[in-house]
Structure formats: structure tokens, C-alpha cells
Amino acid sequence: MALLDDLKRQAEIRRQEQERNQAERNRNLQAVHLALRNASQYFSELADSLNILNPEVRRSYLIDRTTRLDGLVQGDYRVRERRRTLEHRDYFAEVILRFDWKAASPLVLEREAPAQIKQLTDELHAYGFRFEAKAFRNKKYAVERVRFTIEPEFVASARFSGDWDTGTIALSLKNVETLGQVNYYYDAAELDPVLFEEIAKLVL
């Protein structure tokens, strides 16, 4: 019976470990759900207020580390949620605050070196810009320069993404502090009104 007793002890240890892991995951799930629900409520109310007040928020950004995109005005705030169903219940998985930057006229840039052309193209795609790239070629049909006409409208966002397993939340700011994306990570308990207000101030 020694072998059977040993297997039973191992099975019991494994069962207890699985129960502890499941209990911890349930706690993390509830913590993330509550934090994201609070974020959704706060930023939905913020977006509604800003769309009514329409404050004049202006900003300039550097493109390609050399050219300044001026005259950008912020507006059209909206919040989107993503939920997942688990055991017939819906839980918050993601909350996104989005808004637009708009300027009066397109920005026109020209680049000649292939490396600079590729770098600017990659950056504009990463930022989410709409643009037209017109290549100018010589008699041998080789590209001598490219003219980029960049549309003066693009989207910024603050995205909260929850991890139910670990109880952590990733905050991704895109085109908010700078052009491009910056990521921060928090425990679910850290998403409180103080943090929400700091993010709101950063947006404004």
C-alpha cells in the first residue's frame, strides 16, 4: 500500500495547489474587473464632460525628430470597452479612451536618403497617420526623393488592458505624451481616482 499511499498524498498536494491557484486567479479576476469598471466609469464621465465643454487643448509634436507638427487641437473624446464572458458572466478586459488630434492643413516633408525615407515611413505607420508618399525619379528611374503629404488628423488613446491571471493592468498611452506608444504597468489596486486624475491631467 506504500505506493498507493504515496500517490494519494501527491494527488492531494496537487489538488490543494490547484485550489489555491484557482482561488488566487479568481481574486485577480475580480480585482481587475473592478479596477477596469471604475476606469470605464471615470473616463466615460470625463469624455462626456469634455465633449460638452470642448476645451481648447493645443499641442505640437516632433515628427522624425526634426520637424514640428504645430496647431494640433484635441477633441472628439470617446470610451470603448471590451468584455469577456467566463462561466456565463461578463468581466471587463479592456477600457480605451480615444480622442483626435486635428490641424488646419497637411504637413509636407521631403526626404532623399533611402534610410531617412524608410524611417519616416515606418514612424508614420506606427503613429497611425494617413499620408501620401510621392516618389520623384531620375532618368534611370531611380528614386531621388520622396515627398510625404501627411494628413493633419490622427488618433490618440489611453488603453487599459487587464491580465486576469496576474492581477496586473497595462496602460498604453499612444500619441499622448509623445508621438508613438509608451507603456506602464500597475497592480489592479493601484487604479484609483488619484491615478485616473493624473492621466486626465496628462491628456489635457
Side-chain angles (χ1 to χ4, degrees):
M1 298 293 290
L3 175 60
L4 178 58
D5 291 340
D6 185 52
L7 292 174
K8 289 167 61 178
R9 282 194 298 271
Q10 292 182 42
E12 178 61 21
I13 292 172
R14 177 67 59 85
R15 184 188 63 80
Q16 293 177 2
E17 180 181 355
Q18 291 173 342
E19 288 180 352
R20 287 194 298 269
N21 290 342
Q22 185 60 45
E24 181 177 1
R25 187 175 188 276
N26 289 340
R27 287 192 296 270
N28 290 337
L29 167 60
Q30 295 296 334
V32 167
H33 170 72
L34 177 60
L36 292 179
R37 186 182 68 185
N38 292 340
S40 176
Q41 179 178 349
Y42 180 95
F43 288 103
S44 293
E45 292 176 358
L46 176 70
D48 289 343
S49 299
L50 292 176
N51 285 329
I52 293 172
L53 296 172
N54 196 25
E56 187 171 306
V57 181
R58 294 182 175 271
R59 190 167 295 182
S60 298
Y61 287 116
L62 277 177
I63 293 180
D64 198 23
R65 298 189 295 277
T66 58
T67 306
R68 187 171 294 279
L69 178 57
D70 292 317
L72 291 165
V73 180
Q74 186 174 289
D76 190 17
Y77 307 88
R78 62 268 190 200
V79 172
R80 299 290 181 268
E81 305 166 353
R82 186 173 64 87
R83 307 188 190 201
R84 289 166 52 193
T85 302
L86 182 65
E87 296 179 353
H88 309 293
R89 291 189 59 184
D90 288 340
Y91 296 92
F92 278 88
E94 191 171 69
V95 174
I96 310 170
L97 169 67
R98 288 193 174 98
F99 53 91
D100 294 335
W101 287 113
K102 295 181 181 180
S105 56
L107 178 65
V108 179
L109 301 175
E110 289 194 358
R111 294 292 184 267
E112 296 180 359
Q116 292 179 342
I117 294 171
K118 183 181 185 306
Q119 178 180 333
L120 181 55
T121 301
D122 291 344
E123 288 187 6
L124 293 177
H125 282 303
Y127 302 152
F129 283 92
R130 291 183 293 114
F131 66 94
E132 177 184 323
K134 182 178 180 180
F136 294 86
R137 301 176 182 272
N138 59 24
K139 294 180 180 180
K140 296 181 179 179
Y141 209 66
V143 175
E144 291 187 329
R145 58 190 171 92
V146 174
R147 177 180 297 160
F148 293 86
T149 303
I150 304 168
E151 293 298 321
E153 180 177 344
F154 58 97
V155 177
S157 63
R159 180 190 302 265
F160 298 86
S161 302
D163 188 323
W164 293 352
D165 292 325
T166 63
T168 58
I169 293 174
L171 169 61
S172 299
L173 299 178
K174 183 174 183 180
N175 299 337
V176 177
E177 295 178 290
T178 63
L179 289 178
Q181 185 166 300
V182 182
N183 299 320
Y184 302 92
Y185 299 91
Y186 301 93
D187 289 331
E190 295 181 278
L191 263 69
D192 59 13
V194 175
L195 178 61
F196 295 154
E197 186 164 323
E198 290 301 313
I199 297 169
K201 289 178 181 178
L202 185 63
V203 167
L204 296 174

